[in-house]
Structure formats: structure tokens, C-alpha cells
Amino acid sequence: MKVIAVLNQKGGSGKTTISTNLARALQLPDMNVLLIDSDRQGSASDWGAARENQPVPVVAISRPTIERDIKAISNKKDYTVIDGTPLLQDMAVSAIKAADLILIPVQPSPYDLWSASDLVDLVKQRIEITEGKLKVAFVISRAIRGTKISNDVIDVLSGYNLPVLKSRTHQRVIYPVSAARGETVFDENPSCDAAMEVGEIADEVIDILRD
């Protein structure tokens, strides 16, 4: 079982959108996937409850004991995706300890780029403790095509000395529309551009975890 934590201590970074869609993308090739909602706002839990017969099981953990609790609830899962919480450092540390891979979504905004620094410090400490076993990557979220900052963000992120996924999500109406129904872009339209970009993120995630 591999654990992917989607973390950013700034709200509105696209964390839950990536978590829910990534969980569904990993599930579709007949994989057993669990989504953990560790955000006390409960956005992923609300998403899961919005759809009858939700195919992606969602479990809420609101205590900083994720690394211990996950062993009991993720039995026989191929992947567990953690939708992280903003601001609460103890919860972030717990998710970091539980993870094999941490994805840090950042919007192409200077505020998102600046806010990532504290999380990067926590992550790098964990990388050192695990002797490099923990994998980490930035994923650009809600990019807007044709804007200069969307293209320049990779140069800025390079200053953190962590990899950046080649794939990214873009600002698309289909993300909130599908989320409101407790669905993902794959359920709304499996051949749409959004499904293709999330599928590419999932492929990169799988490759990193295999490495």
C-alpha cells in the first residue's frame, strides 16, 4: 500500500480537487483506493457524501494520529490519498509521517509560492530522517493558459530544490461542477481535457512511487 499526501498549508490551493480526482484516477484501473479527509473543514467528506453509492470510500481523521490510524483502516488498499489540512502543523506533520509521497499543489500566484516555504522545511526534515525514502513533488494547480506567471512558476519553484511534476491542472469549470455532485472529471466526461491532465498526474505519481 502506498500513501500519497496532498498538502499545502495555504487554503484554496486546489488540494481537495487534486485529492479527489487523483484518488478516482488511481482507482479506475481496478485498484483499491481510500481517500482520507484530514481537514477539519471536511471538504472531501462532503464531496464523498454528495454522491449516492460513492465509488471512492472517504474516511475522516481529525486527530494528529494519521500515521498510526492509517494502518488500521487501509488494510488491503493499493493506494491511500490524504487530503491534507491547512494551517494545523500537527496534522501536517502526522500526514507527512504517514506518506510515501507528498504532493504540494501550488497555484501560479506569489502568495502560494511564498506560503509553501514552511511546509517545504517540514518535508525536508522528514526526507533527512527517512534517508531519502520520502518522495516529494510540487504540482501546479489551476494554471491559466497563456499567462506569463503560469509559465514562470517552475523557475520560482526550482529555488526550493524539489521536483515539479510535468503535468498540471488548469482552471476549468468542470472541476467545481463535478465536485458539487460528489463526482470527478472522469465521471463527468472521461475523455475531456481535465480527465487527461489528472490522468497524466496519476501516471507521474505511479512512476515516482515505483522508482
Side-chain angles (χ1 to χ4, degrees), residues 45-208:
S45 297
D46 290 342
W47 168 84
R51 180 179 181 181
E52 189 175 355
N53 300 319
Q54 173 61 251
V56 180
V58 183
V59 174
I61 299 179
S62 58
R63 301 174 301 171
T65 55
I66 300 172
E67 74 277 15
R68 184 174 70 244
D69 296 343
I70 205 170
K71 295 175 182 177
I73 63 176
S74 295
N75 187 34
K76 297 182 179 179
K77 301 297 181 186
D78 296 299
Y79 298 100
T80 295
V81 178
I82 301 172
D83 181 27
T85 181
L87 302 178
L88 298 179
Q89 187 173 4
D90 55 349
M91 290 295 290
V93 169
S94 182
I96 289 169
K97 289 179 179 178
D100 297 294
L101 168 65
I102 293 170
L103 291 181
I104 305 174
V106 288
Q107 294 188 83
S109 149
Y111 304 108
D112 277 48
L113 299 174
W114 296 332
S115 71
S117 60
D118 288 343
L119 178 58
V120 168
D121 289 341
L122 286 174
V123 165
K124 287 186 174 180
Q125 290 173 22
R126 187 65 183 173
I127 291 173
E128 186 173 348
I129 291 170
T130 62
E131 298 181 343
K133 291 181 181 178
L134 175 64
K135 306 296 183 183
V136 184
F138 286 106
V139 55
I140 298 170
S141 168
R142 295 175 177 169
I144 301 174
R145 292 188 183 278
T147 58
K148 189 173 187 298
I149 192 168
S150 291
N151 296 323
D152 291 348
V153 66
I154 294 178
D155 293 333
V156 178
L157 289 175
S158 66
Y160 286 117
N161 296 313
L162 291 173
V164 181
L165 295 189
K166 294 178 182 177
S167 309
R168 60 178 65 179
T169 65
H170 291 82
Q171 193 82 280
R172 301 182 191 278
V173 173
I174 193 171
Y175 285 112
V177 168
S178 59
R181 301 190 184 106
E183 296 180 347
T184 68
V185 294
F186 299 96
D187 306 299
E188 187 80 13
N189 183 352
S191 61
C192 69
D193 290 341
M196 290 180 63
E197 65 191 18
V198 176
E200 289 170 355
I201 290 171
D203 288 342
E204 284 197 69
V205 163
I206 292 168
D207 287 344
I208 292 171

